[in-house]
Amino acid sequence: MTPEQAAANAKTGLATIVGAFAESPQTLRRARLLGLSGWAYHVSARAGALGDVRPETVAASIGLIAPEAVMDGWEATAKTSAPMEVATWHLHELCTWGVEQISGFPRLARLHELTGRVVAAVDYAGLPLFAAWRAMPVPDQTTGAQTAVLLHLLHEHRLGVQLVAVRAAGLTPLQAIIAGPEGETGAVAFGWQPPYPPAGPIVRRLMWAESVADAMAGQAYATLDLGERVELIGLLESLRHRLQQ
């Protein structure tokens, strides 16, 4: 398993694991307690680590979500809460979720070690959200909490390199969504309004972008040797299945 293959194989597991946290009742409850809609919370919880920046900066950093939708969510949050405060609460909830949901995972210490090495090896040039999140102080030093944060960082890393690769392929964010597996359904979910471009002519570009993203993400996975990369992917798959039960 090459570093690029490791990055490709990790993609689904990371998305599922982080998605389990994002969709948990506790996370959604935090949005209600802060008086935010689910959409405003999603935008500010993810991008709040950037601090007090303009909504255009947030839209550029997130990339794949329609700029108007990002700006609406960011500005709605700013009326009641500082975005950094929302991100800090989100990080706190992530730590709590990690303690409750993955502390009992067999070989947690090993998963913590391997993910930590990959996260530390990431070159964050061009990845503002990853860089901002990696700089956030983690409030809980237990292994479950720390591992949850590391998994979040690896997922944020993948999202960041994916955006860079999409733009390098000459695709707009909307084109990349339309050419992907969710098509127009995904475009609607990400706040994009019709009319939508046809998918046929751009599918090959998206495939190229995926390979570029694998190569970029794989640079960090190269810090592990072959056996460790295989082991990490196995641990991610085991945790993914555990959370889906």
Side-chain angles (χ1 to χ4, degrees):
M1 181 182 292
T2 67
E4 292 82 0
Q5 289 170 332
N9 287 324
K11 179 183 176 181
T12 299
L14 290 169
T16 302
I17 293 166
V18 175
F21 161 66
E23 297 167 6
S24 68
Q26 294 92 333
T27 305
L28 299 176
R29 177 175 174 269
R30 173 53 57 188
R32 293 194 296 270
L33 290 175
L34 291 172
L36 300 175
S37 68
W39 184 254
Y41 182 82
H42 171 76
V43 170
S44 55
R46 183 177 173 204
L50 295 169
D52 185 16
V53 298
R54 295 181 182 276
E56 290 85 358
T57 303
V58 179
S61 300
I62 292 178
L64 292 179
I65 299 177
E68 295 81 6
V70 173
M71 293 178 191
D72 287 348
W74 188 257
E75 292 172 347
T77 298
K79 293 177 182 178
T80 58
S81 306
M84 177 60 82
E85 177 185 345
V86 178
T88 300
W89 272 112
H90 192 66
L91 180 58
H92 175 79
E93 295 294 328
L94 176 60
C95 289
T96 301
W97 178 84
V99 170
E100 294 176 351
Q101 299 297 323
I102 67 176
S103 286
F105 177 64
R107 304 195 69 210
L108 177 64
R110 183 61 169 163
L111 178 61
H112 176 267
E113 176 192 351
L114 295 176
T115 53
R117 287 167 56 191
V118 176
V119 166
V122 172
D123 179 350
Y124 56 65
L127 306 175
L129 281 174
F130 171 85
W133 272 105
R134 192 167 69 176
M136 289 274 285
V138 181
D140 190 329
Q141 298 302 306
T142 61
T143 306
Q146 291 278 320
T147 304
V149 173
L150 290 168
L151 292 167
H152 166 76
L153 285 169
L154 284 181
H155 180 56
E156 191 62 67
H157 173 231
R158 178 67 199 206
L159 293 175
V161 299
Q162 188 79 21
L163 178 59
V164 173
V166 162
R167 302 302 286 129
L171 294 171
T172 66
L174 175 57
Q175 286 176 322
I177 296 169
I178 291 296
E182 296 183 358
E184 293 187 3
T185 301
V188 171
F190 279 66
W192 296 95
Q193 300 298 316
Y196 300 124
I202 53 180
V203 170
R204 286 190 176 183
R205 285 192 187 182
L206 182 61
M207 293 173 63
W208 183 85
E210 289 283 355
S211 67
V212 171
D214 291 342
M216 294 176 64
Q219 292 173 356
Y221 288 83
T223 195
L224 307 179
D225 64 30
L226 172 59
E228 290 169 334
R229 292 193 292 269
V230 172
E231 182 181 9
L232 174 57
I233 299 307
L235 290 171
L236 289 175
E237 284 301 297
S238 296
L239 179 57
R240 179 173 73 91
H241 289 303
R242 181 187 179 95
L243 293 173
Q244 288 178 321
Q245 291 177 353

